[in-house]
Structures are given as structure tokens and as C-alpha cells.
């Protein structure tokens, strides 16, 4: 288990280096481009298999315990250690990252986005995977920061070199926002580590803030929280996201929405809640307020984009929907209750599955129609996807109703538990204020249903005009999308699979390291 976790984190980096080397003669296939794309599928597939084996070998009777740990001294003067481990909180995110990266590599093997060398594309994809996996596996504050930053450069180049229109501006906006947030976050992490005498996240969580004064905790939450909020993204630090998603290639959007946004909310749960509880208690009402504003703002932006005549881009609409959905995650965290935090973690996974699927589907629609502009797609009556490509229309309708939180699908449980957490927040938090936040967020679910149903109406329905028949779902698309559909249904019908992992770990985290 110990070796397996280290293998999962390191092997994509080794694969990235190997992708830049000439392919061995026996593996070239039809050419070097096909060989390197096959290499990407092989490496990400090996990581996924290792992650599944790790999940199968995980001690499910003790999910609150750190397992598969590696602890090696790295910088003794600062007590910085190469400390890896997983528990019920990080394991689902680790598996989700491995799954989505493999599906993106598989999709790219058949549908490589237009751009420079496939070698560079595969290498960047693997570096991105390694950084994301490391973020969820490391247990040292400085290693967390390094892993957190490691994903920025590959995502910048994926957007800037393989993206669509306005890709340079979107890539620069992405890198500047996230780097500026990260500088502030580093100061907060250093403050915590130097004041407490250790950067070890397990020791700090067990101490539960007792080694830090309240003023230090407040400053640390403000500094670290800004960096995490940019990545989440929290309103009003979200404006880089719609541009990045609109310009990014399909697989870039899938990974950005599916796993990179989760790094921010994971930091809130793993670092701020257990290590700086007093500071979080101070800022929780403000975090909840920003969260519900994000829910309403994201929904209203989507309603504006889906309105006929607004020239709304479908990828941009899904990006704004992410701002709203991540608002529910932040609201659950702000409640500081086991119910709310479990809801936030569940919503994290559900959003990764559903929004990853949505970006795959929107990319497929754009490939077939040549545009993601809703007015161009739907014309006067609708794009009639049900009539022209019925399987693709069915996939899109499924993803839309999953995104709006239909009971029985994964999107429902996270939002419901986040609302329940706000109904009865942690001791010391203003219940009337959180009841107000809960009511506003609940109204946001109605707005979400409105714009998602309008998307289905305009893209899937309508009169079947005299036009060439569109290619329906291809075999490789079916292979890339079906696992996400199956897991969305499984998580919706059997939420105990995920909650059974997260709940004991959350209870221990909020209790100061005591089971």
C-alpha cells in the first residue's frame, strides 16, 4: 500500500519524461504521434488500475486512519518531510483524478485537439495528473503548496497552445489569478508552520489549533483562504474561470472542472478546518455569504446566457454553473458540521463526475456543429439533437438533469446535505444567519433547474430541419462517457458508498484528531 501510493504520485512524472523521448521501434505503430498518444493512455491506465487496487486494499473499517503512509525527512532544518498518506477524505478524490485523466487520455487518442506536438500534450497531461494526485496525497504544508502550484504551468500551456479563440488572454488570466492567490497562501502556510513549529498536517490537525493564538489563526485563514478561494473558485474571485473554460480544449475543461477546482475546497477541509478552527469560526459566516452569492450569481449568469438572442456560449454557461455548484461545497464547509462537510465532499465528487461529463458532451456538440454558440445551435426552434443525434441528445439531457440535482443521481445528495448543515450550523455560529443562507441557496436550486431545462429545450428539442444528419455517439466517446454516467447513478442510488468513507474521517477531523 505504501509503495502503491508513491507509485501513483510519481509514475505520471516518469511517464511525462518518457513521452518526450523517441518511441522504441516496436511501439511506434502507425507513427510517432500515435505512439505517444498510446503511451499517455497506457500510463494513465496504469495509474487508474493502481488507484483502484489502492481503494480495494484500503481498510474500510477504519477510514479515519491515515493509510499507505510514507514519512521521510526532506529538509531537516525546517522539519519538512516527504509525508504521504490517504484517508476517507482524500481517497475518493485520488480515484476521481485517476479516472478523469485516463478518460481524457483515451478521448485524446481518438480526438486530439488541434495544436503543437502531441508529445508535449501528453507530457503536460501527465505532469498535471501527478501534481493533482500529489495535492490529495501529501501531508506536509510545504509539499501541499508545491503540488498545488505544480498544476498551474501544464494547465496554462494546455489552454494557451491547444485552446480555441482568445486562448492567450484566458491562459494569462488563469495563471495571474492563481499565482497571486498562491503567493498569499504561501505566507499563510509559512505563518502556521513557523508559529507551531511543524509543517506536518497530521500533527497540526491533532493539535487542533491549540498551538496557535486566535489572532494567528485569523490571519492564517484569511491568507490561506484567499489562495484556496481563487482555485475553488469563490465569488468574486471567479472571473478567470469562464474565460479559461471557454478557451480550453475539451479535455482541459474536463480536468479543470473535474479535479483542479477540488484542490481549493480540499484545502479548506484538510488544512483550515482542523488546523485553524478558531479562525474558521470567525470567517465561517462570511464564507457562507460569499458562497450563496456565488450560487445565485452563477445561476443568474447562466439564465442570461441561455436566453434567446444573448449569443451565449454553451461552454461558458457550464463554467458559470460550476461557480454555483462550488458555492454549495463552500456553504457545507462554512457550516463546520459533520453533515455540511460530508455534503461538501460528496458534492465535490458529484460535480467532478457530472461537470466532467457535461464538458465532454459540449465538446462533442461543438465538434459536430462547429460552434458552441447557443443561438447558432438552436436557430429559431431548437437544435433538434434528439432527432439528429439521439444518443448524444440523451447523454446531454441526462447530464443536465443530474447537474440540476435530480433525486436518485449524484448531484442531489451533496447539495441536500450542505443545506442540512446550514439548517443547524456548528455551535457559536448564528443560526438565523445560516437559515437565511440556506433559504437563498435553496432558491438557487430552482434557478439551476430553470437554466438546465432551457439548455435541454434549446439544444435537444426543436423541429428537425432539412440538414445533414449528425454523427451520433462514436465508440470512443461511449467508452469515455459511460463510466461517468454509471458512477453518477451509483452515487445517487447508493450514497453510503461515499459517505461511509468520508463521515468517520470528517468526524475525526472536526474533533481535533480524536476518533
Amino acid at each position: 500500500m505504501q509503495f502503491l501510493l508513491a507509485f501513483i504520485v510519481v509514475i505520471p512524472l516518469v511517464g511525462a519524461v518518457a513521452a518526450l523521448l523517441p518511441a522504441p521501434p516496436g511501439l511506434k505503430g502507425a507513427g510517432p504521434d500515435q505512439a505517444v498518444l498510446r503511451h499517455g493512455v497506457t500510463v494513465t491506465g496504469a495509474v487508474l488500475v493502481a488507484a483502484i487496487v489502492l481503494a480495494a486494499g484500503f481498510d474500510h473499517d477504519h477510514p479515519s486512519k491515515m493509510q499507505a503512509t510514507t514519512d521521510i525527512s526532506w529538509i531537516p532544518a525546517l522539519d519538512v518531510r516527504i509525508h504521504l498518506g490517504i484517508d476517507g477524505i482524500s481517497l475518493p478524490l485520488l480515484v476521481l483524478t485517476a479516472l478523469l485523466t485516463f478518460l481524457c487520455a483515451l478521448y485524446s487518442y481518438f480526438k486530439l485537439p488541434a495544436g503543437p506536438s502531441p508529445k508535449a500534450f501528453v507530457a503536460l497531461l501527465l505532469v498535471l495528473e501527478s501534481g493533482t494526485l500529489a495535492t490529495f496525497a501529501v501531508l506536509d504544508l510545504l509539499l501541499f503548496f508545491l503540488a498545488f502550484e505544480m498544476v498551474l504551468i501544464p494547465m496554462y500551456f494546455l489552454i494557451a497552445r491547444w485552446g480555441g479563440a482568445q486562448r492567450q488572454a484566458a491562459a494569462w488570466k488563469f495563471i495571474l489569478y492563481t499565482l497571486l492567490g498562491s503567493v498569499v497562501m504561501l505566507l499563510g502556510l509559512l505563518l502556521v508552520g513557523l508559529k507551531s513549529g511543524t509543517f506536518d498536517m497530521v500533527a497540526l490537525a491533532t493539535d487542533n489549533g491549540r498551538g496557535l493564538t486566535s489572532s494567528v489563526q485569523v490571519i492564517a485563514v484569511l491568507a490561506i483562504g484567499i489562495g484556496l478561494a481563487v482555485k475553488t473558485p469563490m465569488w468574486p474571485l471567479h472571473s478567470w474561470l469562464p474565460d479559461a473554460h471557454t478557451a480550453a480544449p475539451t479535455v482541459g475543461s474536463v480536468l479543470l472542472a473535474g479535479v483542479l477546482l477540488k484542490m481549493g475546497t480540499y484545502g479548506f477541509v484538510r488544512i483550515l478546518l482542523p488546523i485553524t478552527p478558531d479562525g474558521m469560526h470567525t470567517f465561517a459566516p462570511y464564507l457562507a455569504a460569499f458562497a450563496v452569492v456565488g450560487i445565485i450569481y452563477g445561476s443568474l449568469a447562466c439564465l442570461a446566457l441561455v436566453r434567446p438572442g444573448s449569443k451565449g456560449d454553451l461552454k461558458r454557461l457550464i463554467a458559470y454553473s460550476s461557480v454555483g455548484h462550488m458555492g454549495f461545497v463552500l456553504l457545507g464547509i462554512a457550516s463546520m458540521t459533520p453533515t455540511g462537510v460530508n455534503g461538501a465532499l460528496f458534492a465535490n465528487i458529484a460535480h467532478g463526475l457530472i461537470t466532467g461529463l457535461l464538458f465532454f458532451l459540449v465538446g462533442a456538440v461543438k465538434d459536430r456543429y462547429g460552434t458552441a454558440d447557443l443561438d447558432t445551435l438552436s436557430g429559431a426552434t431548437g437544435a433538434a439533437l434528439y432527432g439528429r443525434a439521439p444518443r448524444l441528445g440523451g447523454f446531454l439531457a441526462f447530464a443536465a438533469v443530474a447537474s440540476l440535482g435530480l433525486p436518485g443521481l449524484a448531484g442531489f445528495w451533496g447539495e441536500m446535505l450542505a443545506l442540512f448543515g446550514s439548517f443547524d450550523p456548528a455551535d457559536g455560529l448564528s443560526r438565523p444567519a445560516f437559515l437565511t443562507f440556506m433559504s437563498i441557496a435553496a432558491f438557487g436550486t430552482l434557478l439551476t433547474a430553470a437554466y438546465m431545462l432551457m439548455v435541454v429545450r434549446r439544444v435537444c428539442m426543436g423541429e428537425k430541419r432539412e440538414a445533414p444528419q449528425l454523427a451520433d455517439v462514436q465508440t470512443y466517446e461511449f467508452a469515455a462517457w459511460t463510466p461517468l454516467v454509471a458512477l453518477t447513478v451509483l452515487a445517487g442510488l447508493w450514497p453510503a458508498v461515499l459517505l461511509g468513507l468520508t463521515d468517520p474521517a470528517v468526524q475525526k477531523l472536526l474533533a481535533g484528531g480524536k476518533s
Side-chain angles (χ1 to χ4, degrees):
M1 291 280 283
Q2 178 185 10
F3 168 78
L4 205 56
L5 182 58
F7 172 86
I8 288 169
V9 173
V10 172
I11 200 64
L13 276 182
V14 177
V17 174
L20 298 175
L21 301 175
L27 298 177
K28 282 185 178 178
D33 289 355
Q34 188 190 53
V36 75
L37 292 171
R38 188 190 299 127
H39 169 78
V41 175
T42 303
V43 174
T44 55
V47 172
L48 176 59
V49 170
I52 293 171
V53 172
L54 185 69
F58 186 80
D59 185 356
H60 291 263
D61 293 330
H62 301 92
S64 62
K65 176 186 174 184
M66 281 295 170
Q67 302 180 33
T69 55
T70 299
D71 193 359
I72 304 168
S73 180
W74 184 34
I75 308 175
L78 294 176
D79 193 29
V80 177
R81 311 182 68 81
I82 298 176
H83 192 181
L84 305 176
I86 53 166
D87 63 358
I89 292 172
S90 50
L91 178 63
L93 290 165
L94 201 78
V95 176
L96 175 69
T97 300
L99 173 66
L100 284 178
T101 312
F102 169 71
L103 296 180
C104 285
L106 180 66
Y107 189 85
S108 300
Y109 181 80
F110 295 96
K111 189 71 178 178
L112 183 69
S117 162
K119 281 179 174 286
F121 178 84
V122 171
L124 290 169
L125 195 68
L126 292 173
V127 172
L128 183 70
E129 179 180 34
S130 181
T132 311
L133 290 168
T135 302
F136 299 134
V138 298
L139 298 173
D140 182 277
L141 289 179
L142 290 186
L143 276 185
F144 175 85
F145 175 77
L146 292 176
F148 197 86
E149 295 304 288
M150 184 177 165
V151 304
L152 301 185
I153 300 304
M155 182 53 72
Y156 166 81
F157 281 111
L158 285 175
I159 296 172
R161 304 302 298 275
W162 284 269
Q166 305 296 319
R167 60 181 182 269
Q168 292 289 347
W172 274 111
K173 196 171 185 179
F174 163 75
I175 200 78
L176 288 176
Y177 261 80
T178 48
L179 277 179
L180 288 173
S182 298
V183 169
V184 183
M185 183 176 76
L186 177 60
L187 296 176
L189 294 174
L190 290 173
L191 176 65
V192 170
L194 295 175
K195 286 292 184 180
S196 61
T198 181
F199 289 96
D200 187 271
M201 291 159 66
V202 176
L204 288 166
T206 304
D207 189 59
N208 202 221
R210 287 182 285 271
L212 302 171
T213 65
S214 293
S215 58
V216 168
Q217 290 191 40
V218 168
I219 296 170
V221 169
L222 183 61
I224 298 170
I226 287 173
L228 297 175
V230 169
K231 186 64 73 74
T232 297
M234 180 185 78
W235 181 93
L237 303 173
H238 68 283
S239 61
W240 61 269
L241 184 72
D243 291 339
H245 271 309
T246 305
T250 296
V251 294
S253 291
V254 171
L255 292 175
L256 183 58
V259 293
L260 262 67
L261 304 189
K262 312 304 174 285
M263 294 162 60
T265 51
Y266 174 77
F268 275 103
V269 175
R270 177 64 75 198
I271 298 173
L272 295 185
L273 277 177
I275 296 175
T276 56
D278 293 343
M280 272 298 291
H281 197 278
T282 300
F283 280 105
Y286 303 102
L287 180 63
F290 283 126
V292 296
V293 170
I295 291 169
I296 300 300
Y297 172 84
S299 299
L300 292 177
C302 290
L303 282 170
L305 288 170
V306 79
R307 190 179 70 249
S310 64
K311 294 291 181 183
D313 186 279
L314 196 49
K315 288 188 74 175
R316 196 173 190 86
L317 184 146
I318 304 303
Y320 272 111
S321 78
S322 291
V323 176
H325 288 305
M326 297 311 287
F328 281 98
V329 177
L330 292 172
L331 180 61
I333 293 169
S335 72
M336 297 185 69
T337 62
T339 301
V341 176
N342 275 305
L345 294 171
F346 199 104
N348 254 347
I349 301 299
H351 179 266
L353 296 171
I354 297 167
T355 308
L357 177 61
L358 274 170
F359 275 115
F360 268 134
L361 293 166
V362 172
V365 170
K366 187 173 182 179
D367 288 339
R368 286 158 171 78
Y369 281 93
T371 181
D373 180 80
L374 273 165
D375 287 337
T376 306
L377 282 174
S378 59
T381 63
L385 208 57
Y386 286 154
R388 302 183 65 191
R391 293 184 183 87
L392 180 58
F395 269 109
L396 185 60
F398 171 85
V401 296
S403 184
L404 63 82
L406 186 73
L409 299 176
F412 171 73
W413 294 105
E415 294 182 1
M416 186 191 72
L417 291 172
L419 294 175
F420 280 176
S422 300
F423 181 77
D424 190 16
D427 293 340
L429 296 177
S430 170
R431 189 160 187 248
F434 272 82
L435 286 174
T436 303
F437 298 145
M438 183 198 74
S439 301
I440 297 171
F443 178 67
T445 62
L446 300 178
L447 297 179
T448 304
Y451 70 73
M452 278 299 176
L453 292 176
M454 289 175 71
V455 167
V456 173
R457 166 66 187 85
R458 298 194 67 194
V459 178
C460 295
M461 301 179 186
E463 297 176 9
K464 188 177 176 182
R465 300 181 295 276
E466 290 297 326
Q469 188 76 5
L470 293 174
D472 212 338
V473 178
Q474 305 296 302
T475 303
Y476 71 92
E477 293 173 327
F478 192 79
W481 303 343
T482 303
L484 301 179
V485 172
L487 289 172
T488 300
V489 174
L490 176 65
L493 296 178
W494 196 9
V497 173
L498 189 54
L499 293 174
L501 282 173
T502 61
D503 186 51
V506 167
Q507 297 277 1
K508 181 178 179 179
L509 209 65
L510 295 177
K514 302 179 182 67
S515 298

